[in-house]
Amino acid sequence: MHFNLCLCEDIPKLNLKTKLSLLIHTKELKRTSNTGSLAVHALTNSEMRIRGIQNQVLDLSDFLDPKYHPLFFFPAEDALELSPQVLENIKKPIQLIVPDGNWRQAAKVYSRHSELKSLQKVMIKTPNLAKVHMRAESTLEGMATLQAIALAFGVLEGEAVKQQLMNLYELKLRRTLIARGQQHLLQFV
């Protein structure tokens, strides 16, 4: 981002029970449209691991924290809708594991890391009715990583947390549109 469009001072610092673990593809870090890394900056109880670095295997042997109940956040056919009913029998705080990258990159995370294969998959089925997106979306439910995390944290931590993360996403979207010279789209955000 251009210096005058920087988001740093606008990122909330949310200290929550839920732990966000973002598995981000290295190519995603270079994209101006990346929003997953913003979630890591906003959520103090979070971590980011980078995958896809050439000639480096991502070691996840210490990834699953025994103090948390891990859930893999990905819209697979066998994923459960993240809801209070799914959470009612879970006694520990949640470690929400989120793959970040394009659809192909994110889909590979679960199958390539044996540490994750036994985890319950959860998803959000909320349609994305926004008129303007950070990137082109191919499905009605398609959304930016930060949007999806905001919806998930709405279920996990409450509406106020969801709204703070959605506000951050909307600010990122607005400033990205300005940086791209697409101010005419701001009216739709």
Side-chain angles (χ1 to χ4, degrees):
M1 286 250 171
H2 299 278
F3 182 74
N4 62 332
L5 298 174
C6 181
L7 295 168
C8 295
E9 291 184 11
D10 300 301
I11 299 172
K13 294 293 181 204
L14 304 173
N15 188 8
L16 308 169
K17 288 187 318 182
T18 303
K19 179 178 184 175
L20 172 67
S21 296
L22 190 73
L23 294 172
I24 190 167
H25 194 278
T26 187
K27 290 180 180 177
E28 196 65 21
L29 291 170
K30 299 172 189 162
R31 294 179 179 262
T32 59
S33 59
N34 175 267
T35 62
S37 59
L38 278 176
V40 172
H41 289 294
L43 301 166
T44 59
N45 189 16
S46 64
E47 67 176 319
M48 179 169 54
R49 304 270 181 114
I50 302 168
R51 54 181 300 278
I53 299 173
Q54 192 169 8
N55 300 321
Q56 282 188 3
V57 176
L58 178 59
D59 180 13
L60 295 181
S61 58
D62 65 340
F63 186 62
L64 299 178
D65 190 328
K67 296 181 292 206
Y68 294 88
H69 182 94
L71 294 174
F72 190 75
F73 189 52
F74 187 74
E77 287 184 21
D78 60 341
L80 298 175
E81 173 79 14
L82 185 59
S83 67
Q85 293 75 26
V86 168
L87 302 173
E88 67 186 2
N89 294 321
I90 298 174
K91 304 299 180 217
K92 295 180 181 180
I94 300 297
Q95 178 182 9
L96 190 66
I97 300 164
V98 180
D100 191 10
N102 65 33
W103 185 257
R104 201 171 125 249
Q105 293 162 345
K108 289 179 182 179
V109 172
Y110 192 77
S111 62
R112 288 192 175 170
H113 295 281
S114 59
E115 302 89 348
L116 307 176
K117 289 188 179 180
S118 66
L119 302 183
Q120 175 62 59
K121 289 180 256 180
V122 294
M123 65 187 282
I124 295 289
K125 292 184 181 178
T126 304
N128 185 356
L129 303 176
K131 293 182 180 359
V132 180
H133 304 279
M134 194 70 66
R135 298 182 195 166
E137 297 296 344
S138 58
T139 67
L140 184 59
E141 294 85 14
M143 61 185 72
T145 303
L146 182 55
Q147 284 177 294
I149 290 170
L151 293 175
F153 271 73
V155 175
L156 296 164
E157 295 282 349
E159 187 65 28
V161 171
K162 171 187 160 186
Q163 197 54 56
Q164 288 183 71
L165 293 172
M166 287 302 287
N167 290 345
L168 179 59
Y169 169 74
E170 288 172 10
L171 183 62
K172 165 71 172 164
L173 178 58
R174 288 177 175 282
R175 293 192 182 170
T176 299
L177 291 172
I178 292 168
R180 292 176 180 168
Q182 298 175 322
Q183 289 88 334
H184 63 284
L185 296 175
L186 291 173
Q187 65 183 324
F188 300 111
V189 178

